[in-house]
Amino acid sequence: MSSTPAITTGSSDAAADAAKAAAAKKAAAAKQTTLNYDNFLKLLLAQMKNQNPTDPMKSTEYMSQLATFSQVEQSVNMNSKLDALLASSAMSQAGNLVGRTVTSADQKSTGTVTAVQMTKDGLVAHLDTGDDVPYAPGMIVS
């Protein structure tokens, strides 16, 4: 008897949409609190316009600043890709829980997982007993 794992999200693509929305929200917050490329160029131009004419900044210093900013920008991009990878891993784990018996970390709920839902706080296993168990450290899967 084979059954297809059920991963519920409220709609067919709600988990993916929620992950994308969370990533977009993080990106928007990051843009508001960090210096973006356009702001950096504006600051660089202002620095060039207002530098001391008798002791101008060397072009190597400008290039160093630009390279440093580029490295920071690449680190931010890499972090967003890692977040997407973690979300993908969580969805993979969700599929593996369906049909397995789990016990909550506090040992109060035990049952067979009928569905898994991805929420903003992480994965939640829905049990055949009607209980919901968060996928968290201390949870026993058998």
Side-chain angles (χ1 to χ4, degrees), residues 65-76:
Q65 288 179 1
L66 187 59
T68 300
F69 180 75
S70 180
Q71 288 174 339
V72 170
E73 186 177 32
Q74 289 302 315
S75 294
V76 168

Side-chain angles (χ1 to χ4, degrees), residues 2-69:
S2 68
S3 63
T4 305
I7 302 172
T8 62
T9 57
S11 71
S12 61
D13 293 325
D17 292 343
K20 288 178 185 177
K25 191 173 184 179
K26 277 186 178 180
K31 284 183 181 181
Q32 291 174 352
T33 60
T34 60
L35 182 67
N36 65 24
Y37 194 72
D38 291 333
N39 290 339
F40 176 78
L41 290 177
K42 288 177 186 176
L43 285 172
L44 187 62
L45 285 174
Q47 185 178 16
M48 290 174 76
K49 286 179 186 177
N50 297 314
Q51 67 180 327
N52 183 351
T54 61
D55 186 24
M57 183 183 270
K58 295 179 182 174
S59 61
T60 54
E61 291 177 44
Y62 286 120
M63 292 307 293
S64 174
Q65 288 179 1
L66 187 59
T68 300
F69 180 75

Side-chain angles (χ1 to χ4, degrees), residues 93 97 102-107 121-125 132-141:
Q93 290 174 354
L97 284 177
V102 298
T103 303
S104 63
D106 61 5
Q107 307 290 318
D121 297 325
L123 297 176
V124 176
D132 292 338
V133 176
Y135 186 73
M139 178 176 157
I140 300 169
V141 180

